[in-house]
Amino acid sequence: MDDKGDIETSDVGGVLERNGSSFYEDKELVGAREPLLRKATTNNTSQIAIVGANLCPIESLDYEIVENDLFKQDWRSRKKTQIFQYITLKWTLALLIGLATGLVGFFNNLAVENIAGFKLLLTSNFMLEQRFFEAFVVFAGCNLILAAGAALLCAYVAPAAAGSGIPEVKAYLNGVDAPSILAPSTLFVKIFGSIGGVSAGFVLGKEGPMVHTGSCIAFLLGQGGSRKYRLTCTWLRYFKNDRDRRDLITCGAAAGVAAAFRAPVGGVLFALEEVASWYSALLWRTFFTTAVVAVVLRALIGFCRGGKCGLFGEGGLIMFDLSSSVATYSAPDLIAVIVLGVLGGLLGSLYNFFLDKILRSYSVINEKGAPFKIILTITISLLTSCCAYGLPWLAKCTPCPANIQEECPTIGRSGNFKNFQCSPGHYNDLASLFLNTNDDAIRNLFSKGTYDEFYISTLFVFFGAVYFLGLVTYGIAVPSGLFIPVILAGATYGRIVGTLLGPISDLDTGLFALLGAASFLGGTMRMTVSVCVILLELTNDLLMLPLVMLVLLISKTVADSFNKGVYDQIVKMKGLPFMEAHAEPYMRNLVAGDVVSGPLITFSGVEKVGNIVHALRLTGHNAFPVVNEPPFSDAPELCGLVLRSHLLVLLKAKRFTRERVATGVIEVLRRFDAFDFAKAGSGKGVKLENLDIQEEEMDMYVDLHPITNTSPYTVVETMSLAKAAVLFRELGLRHLCVVPKTPGRPPVAGILTRHDFMPEHILGLFPRVKSND
């Protein structure tokens, strides 16, 4: 259960009111033109979202420290050795996250290269024997089996593993939780589903799923043990809170990027720029984690050199080495870079537009159940196989270049020169792009000194196919990343521009491909610093830094004129209540008191057990205000907030009194310590159904003072809603108390939660506030 927004109640402590409206239905309320008057006193935005490919209820995370008497006593009694244990464990877990993510990243690469390599080798052998139909059956059949296996895992074992996972991780680090988003089953399916999807030849990448994988690993390591499986450790108890788990998951996301791209610094910057909402204290730990990933990958890749790991082991730590290219550029080259930037912005914004439409269409299919998800995946697999095998027949054969070092045509392995249907001494340039792994296709496009290797018609056909297949593939029930499809399409049109401008430009066409990839990444994802560093670490080409920076800035600026970045669009489309770093302009026209709603249920400092149980049954709120009244205070005053989970633990212990008296903190300390009230991990916490309250106990009393957070964040009801939103987001709050400005009223006017700051809720109450801004 969660706060008021999570189950559509009128307010924290308010009367439960179930609402069946969906995220999209509520958007219709926004468009209604009505007077600038409050339409209702209840929140009617459904707090459900699409996680992976399924519709799930969502919850909010609480990064605030609950400063109750138990916490204060525990903090005062904590010894230096315990503080040392906590600090040591933070760095140890960062080390373990780096090691585990590096090993998983290596295993992914090893499996993909060998499975896809075996499939392509088998297809190539049939082609050499002129058995073209059998070659297609083998190629499409292998793809179909791999795709169906990945879809079965996603549809039946862990639906949350579908897609890249970056939007979900980004929302989690912003304070939004959902069932199974970081569960062990999700991690399992993310790893093996990604291997199956990439090996099946889909136009997708394993880079996005690696971010989700690293986050899952970090979450599981920071669970604080498991009482269910008796895997508890005294040290791990320190991490039973959302704040420390958030920090570990940020390290895991950075480690995932480092493992996917072999770019440790890029991983740190990606976490800073794209996924993390709070970061300042994490720089050193994320840098340490990604450094561990780089060391692990370098050691394992070094071991694989010399054919010890099957078909894997080419490329070393630098995936696409362009370091030997001479990057001298002049004024005409800068004009070409500007053209690439503008083109990347236009194509990127168009890509985001189409992807949004396709994902909304797929959601209709996915809602029909798991069999339809699998059928959709199989359909896209057959379409991909037909394009990859059929389109190269349209290309003409090209004589092998003279004086080249590598074998031409390349037989039985990856390379730039695929024979396909051509006679000896010739190669099919389109087959060299399609009948390779995506990584090898990018390597071919980035290759230097290959101006005449690809016909311009080949590049146009490949760009159209990759652009289209990348759009229709993302959203099926397999783990799928967007980085590789975007890099593939961008590198292709970059090479097209390089070929067209070859007579006036000094840049190599491989460098144009790099700049095209950068421009398309900037146009779709709207990341600049992290993408720039990732590309430089990918290619080992520091001389291209000024041009990469320029093309990223131009493409992002152009694309921002049309729509948001792809991950921001997906977060919004999924219905995840993401809070931006800045408030919407129309929020300045409203105050905090305008969006709170009632009636508000409060507890006394010493409350009757029956009242608490009734409130817990009636509502699903996560927190209730505690108000002291005479004889415990001279006048009604806000004592603080008490959490639902803490109430359940207290009620289960049955430390009740027959008289309405304060038992004090000493009595509670005898029965509990601070860790008894710590947040449960992925296992089950205390639930209302677990309570066994007898009828005679319902008329007894319990003292709430020891477990009440006596220092909740509060704002006056006349504070600007924009200011309240910034405060709520920057402090990572789950609840923000609103207090009255004038005396003689109840001490608390209401509680703001994440739901109250969502545009759908605000514009539902005030339909014309945005137009009047």
Side-chain angles (χ1 to χ4, degrees):
M1 293 297 187
D2 195 25
D3 52 29
K4 61 173 181 179
D6 298 330
I7 41 183
E8 294 133 25
T9 54
S10 57
D11 207 322
V12 171
V15 178
L16 179 65
E17 216 173 279
R18 180 67 63 174
N19 189 319
S21 61
S22 71
F23 174 77
Y24 302 110
E25 290 169 341
D26 282 331
K27 292 193 73 175
E28 295 176 0
L29 298 173
V30 179
R33 293 193 173 274
E34 296 189 15
L36 188 60
L37 296 173
R38 185 189 298 260
K39 290 182 59 180
T41 58
T42 57
N43 296 347
N44 54 8
T45 300
S46 176
Q47 292 301 288
I48 54 177
I50 300 172
V51 178
N54 276 11
L55 207 60
C56 301
I58 55 175
E59 297 185 356
S60 297
L61 300 171
D62 197 350
Y63 300 139
E64 181 183 0
I65 296 174
V66 179
E67 293 184 344
N68 53 32
D69 292 338
L70 277 172
F71 170 81
K72 293 173 184 176
Q73 181 62 30
D74 175 70
W75 186 256
R76 285 192 293 264
S77 63
R78 203 169 277 188
K79 300 176 182 178
K80 289 184 178 180
T81 54
Q82 292 175 307
I83 297 173
F84 176 76
Q85 287 175 355
Y86 172 67
I87 295 173
T88 302
L89 190 57
K90 283 202 299 186
W91 286 93
T92 302
L93 287 175
L95 172 66
L96 293 176
I97 291 167
L99 287 172
T101 307
L103 289 171
V104 170
F106 173 78
F107 172 72
N108 278 1
N109 286 336
L110 183 67
V112 168
E113 293 290 335
N114 281 282
I115 295 173
F118 174 77
K119 174 192 70 178
L120 294 172
L121 181 61
L122 202 58
T123 304
S124 176
N125 289 339
F126 278 107
M127 295 291 292
L128 290 173
E129 297 172 6
Q130 306 292 311
R131 298 164 64 184
F132 300 124
F133 179 74
E134 290 92 334
F136 173 72
V137 171
V138 168
F139 180 71
C142 289
N143 287 344
L144 193 63
I145 292 170
L146 292 167
L152 281 168
L153 287 174
C154 269
Y156 289 105
V157 180
S164 73
I166 291 179
E168 286 84 356
V169 172
K170 183 174 181 176
Y172 184 94
L173 294 177
N174 188 257
V176 180
D177 193 11
S180 303
I181 188 175
L182 299 170
S185 58
T186 303
L187 173 62
F188 173 81
V189 174
K190 207 73 182 183
I191 294 172
F192 290 97
S194 178
I195 291 172
V198 176
S199 301
F202 284 123
V203 182
L204 51 79
K206 54 186 180 293
E207 286 70 19
M210 271 305 303
V211 174
H212 196 177
T213 298
S215 301
C216 289
I217 291 170
F219 181 78
L220 295 177
L221 287 175
Q223 276 292 290
S226 171
R227 292 181 182 177
K228 180 179 178 181
Y229 298 106
R230 297 182 180 179
L231 298 173
T232 56
C233 175
T234 304
W235 285 26
L236 290 176
R237 297 182 306 170
Y238 298 123
F239 292 87
K240 285 182 172 285
N241 62 83
D242 289 331
R243 182 183 292 265
D244 282 313
R245 288 174 185 164
R246 173 197 69 190
D247 294 349
L248 290 175
I249 289 167
T250 305
C251 292
V257 174
F261 290 108
R262 308 174 200 174
V265 179
V268 175
L269 294 174
F270 175 85
L272 171 63
E273 184 177 8
E274 182 62 20
V275 296
S277 295
W278 301 273
Y279 196 84
S280 57
L282 283 174
L283 186 61
W284 281 109
R285 259 193 290 162
T286 51
F287 187 74
F288 172 70
T289 306
T290 57
V292 171
V293 173
V295 171
V296 170
L297 287 176
R298 181 177 286 277
L300 292 173
I301 291 170
F303 171 77
C304 281
R305 285 176 180 165
K308 297 179 182 177
C309 299
L311 299 170
F312 176 72
E314 297 292 330
L317 196 64
I318 306 299
M319 291 178 69
F320 314 115
D321 195 349
L322 299 177
S323 57
S324 59
S325 301
V326 179
T328 57
Y329 39 87
S330 56
D333 297 325
L334 294 177
I335 296 174
V337 169
I338 293 172
V339 170
L340 271 178
V342 173
L343 190 62
L346 294 174
L347 290 173
S349 59
L350 191 64
Y351 192 91
N352 292 358
F353 172 79
F354 285 133
L355 188 64
D356 182 77
K357 300 299 181 185
I358 289 170
L359 289 179
R360 291 180 186 274
S361 301
Y362 281 180
S363 66
V364 177
I365 300 173
N366 291 334
E367 286 173 2
K368 295 182 179 180
F372 288 89
K373 298 178 186 178
I374 297 171
I375 292 171
L376 176 62
T377 303
I378 290 174
T379 303
I380 300 301
S381 174
L382 290 173
L383 176 63
T384 304
S385 297
C386 290
C387 288
Y389 188 85
L391 289 177
W393 289 93
L394 303 177
K396 55 186 177 181
C397 296
T398 306
C400 288
N403 303 321
I404 58 170
Q405 295 182 349
E406 62 180 295
E407 182 183 358
C408 179
T410 50
I411 299 174
R413 63 181 182 84
S414 61
N416 280 25
F417 307 104
K418 287 286 184 179
N419 180 261
F420 200 62
Q421 89 288 10
C422 298
S423 58
H426 293 72
Y427 72 96
N428 186 312
D429 58 346
L430 193 52
S432 300
L433 296 175
F434 272 121
L435 296 182
N436 259 324
T437 62
N438 291 331
D439 286 352
D440 283 328
I442 294 172
R443 190 173 288 111
N444 292 346
L445 291 168
F446 280 1
S447 59
K448 58 187 180 297
T450 54
Y451 178 82
D452 297 323
E453 184 176 317
F454 300 101
Y455 290 108
I456 192 74
S457 58
T458 294
L459 295 174
F460 273 111
V461 170
F462 186 70
F463 170 72
V466 167
Y467 195 92
F468 171 74
L469 290 174
L471 285 170
V472 299
T473 302
Y474 192 84
I476 61 176
V478 296
S480 52
L482 281 170
F483 275 99
I484 289 299
V486 169
I487 292 175
L488 261 178
T492 306
Y493 76 68
R495 200 169 181 102
I496 290 173
V497 173
T499 303
L500 294 175
L501 299 181
I504 64 169
S505 175
D506 296 327
L507 290 179
D508 188 89
T509 50
L511 297 181
F512 268 107
L514 169 63
L515 293 172
S519 71
F520 203 26
L521 284 168
T524 52
M525 300 181 182
R526 314 296 161 81
M527 294 180 288
T528 52
V529 179
S530 56
V531 166
C532 182
V533 174
I534 287 172
L535 287 174
L536 294 178
E537 289 186 281
L538 272 176
T539 58
N540 195 27
D541 191 0
L542 191 59
L543 294 175
M544 291 296 292
L545 176 61
L547 296 185
V548 173
M549 292 172 64
L550 179 62
V551 79
L552 280 168
L553 289 170
I554 294 172
S555 62
K556 182 186 184 308
T557 303
V558 171
D560 281 339
S561 304
F562 298 97
N563 49 35
K564 290 187 174 183
V566 63
Y567 293 129
D568 293 326
Q569 284 193 177
I570 294 173
V571 165
K572 183 178 180 180
M573 188 213 69
K574 285 176 174 285
L576 296 166
F578 188 87
M579 289 201 69
E580 301 289 348
H582 55 83
E584 296 292 340
Y586 59 80
M587 290 185 181
R588 293 194 297 267
N589 299 326
L590 300 171
V591 296
D594 288 334
V595 295
V596 296
S597 48
L600 188 68
I601 292 178
T602 62
F603 293 142
S604 299
V606 180
E607 185 60 78
K608 186 179 288 188
V609 173
N611 292 342
I612 299 174
V613 172
H614 179 69
L616 293 177
R617 285 175 180 168
L618 187 64
T619 72
H621 308 321
N622 180 70
F624 298 86
V626 176
V627 176
N628 270 340
E629 298 174 342
F632 302 105
S633 63
D634 296 332
E637 64 178 16
L638 177 63
C639 179
L641 283 179
V642 61
L643 298 182
R644 180 187 188 89
S645 59
H646 292 183
L647 287 171
L648 291 171
V649 173
L650 191 65
L651 291 175
K652 188 176 183 181
K654 294 190 174 185
R655 295 292 175 171
F656 308 143
T657 59
R658 296 190 179 275
E659 302 297 329
R660 192 167 182 258
V661 294
T663 57
V665 68
I666 302 300
E667 178 65 25
V668 176
L669 286 173
R670 290 198 189 105
R671 176 65 179 82
F672 302 102
D673 64 29
F675 291 112
D676 291 324
F677 294 90
K679 182 174 181 177
S682 56
K684 303 287 185 180
V686 180
K687 295 191 177 298
L688 187 60
E689 308 86 69
N690 304 138
L691 300 182
D692 183 24
I693 307 295
Q694 304 300 319
E695 189 64 34
E696 61 272 14
E697 293 173 326
M698 299 290 276
D699 292 324
M700 300 178 74
Y701 294 89
V702 61
D703 187 5
L704 302 182
H705 290 104
I707 64 169
T708 299
N709 180 8
T710 55
S711 57
Y713 286 96
T714 61
V715 296
V716 69
E717 61 184 349
T718 55
M719 175 182 274
S720 162
L721 188 60
K723 276 189 176 182
V726 172
L727 177 70
F728 190 94
R729 199 261 192 192
E730 291 300 319
L731 294 176
L733 302 180
R734 188 174 186 174
H735 309 98
L736 182 60
C737 293
V738 179
V739 296
K741 185 176 183 180
T742 55
R745 295 167 57 190
V748 57
I751 296 180
L752 292 172
T753 65
R754 177 178 294 265
H755 168 66
D756 293 304
F757 297 104
M758 292 298 105
E760 292 72 35
H761 170 59
I762 298 172
L763 297 176
L765 297 176
F766 304 98
R768 299 190 62 184
V769 67
K770 190 172 184 180
S771 61
N772 292 348
D773 183 57

